[in-house]
Amino acid sequence: MYIKPSAAIRNNYNEISELCKRTGEPVYLTKNGEGDLVVMDIDAFERKFKMLELRAKLMDVEEDRRKGVADCTIDELEKYLDEVIGDRES
């Protein structure tokens, strides 16, 4: 985890941008010693967002499975997961 004062984004934008891209980690910005913003590389954000969407979908599928609702076949699920994981590895 990287923590910087909010002035750092104004004074050292390129340095913070490079840090985010190089590490894939977010940078937490503080204002008056308190957490204020999080800055992260767009690719890291999109990967994280896709993973959150996938988790939500998997939780929905698991809830339906427990209720006895069949929404897709195992083959359909495997194909979907291959597509999602393939996108992430690109």
Side-chain angles (χ1 to χ4, degrees), residues 14-29:
N14 290 336
E15 177 184 320
I16 291 175
S17 175
E18 177 58 32
L19 178 64
C20 290
K21 289 176 182 173
R22 182 171 35 86
T23 65
E25 296 291 322
V27 174
Y28 296 82
L29 300 176

Side-chain angles (χ1 to χ4, degrees), residues 48-90:
K48 179 65 94 173
F49 192 78
K50 282 184 180 182
M51 288 301 293
L52 290 172
E53 285 182 322
L54 176 59
R55 278 192 180 159
K57 287 178 183 177
L58 289 173
M59 288 178 69
D60 290 343
V61 168
E62 176 61 12
E63 186 177 324
D64 286 347
R65 185 193 66 79
R66 289 179 182 217
K67 291 177 183 176
V69 177
D71 194 31
C72 67
T73 67
I74 294 294
D75 290 337
E76 291 170 333
L77 180 59
E78 280 186 27
K79 181 181 176 199
Y80 173 73
L81 290 175
D82 287 344
E83 289 171 3
V84 170
I85 292 168
D87 287 347
R88 183 168 185 244
E89 293 176 344
S90 302

Side-chain angles (χ1 to χ4, degrees), residues 3-7 9 27-39:
I3 301 173
K4 304 276 186 183
S6 61
I9 194 79
V27 174
Y28 296 82
L29 300 176
T30 61
K31 184 175 182 180
N32 300 324
E34 298 288 325
D36 188 43
L37 297 172
V38 175
V39 178

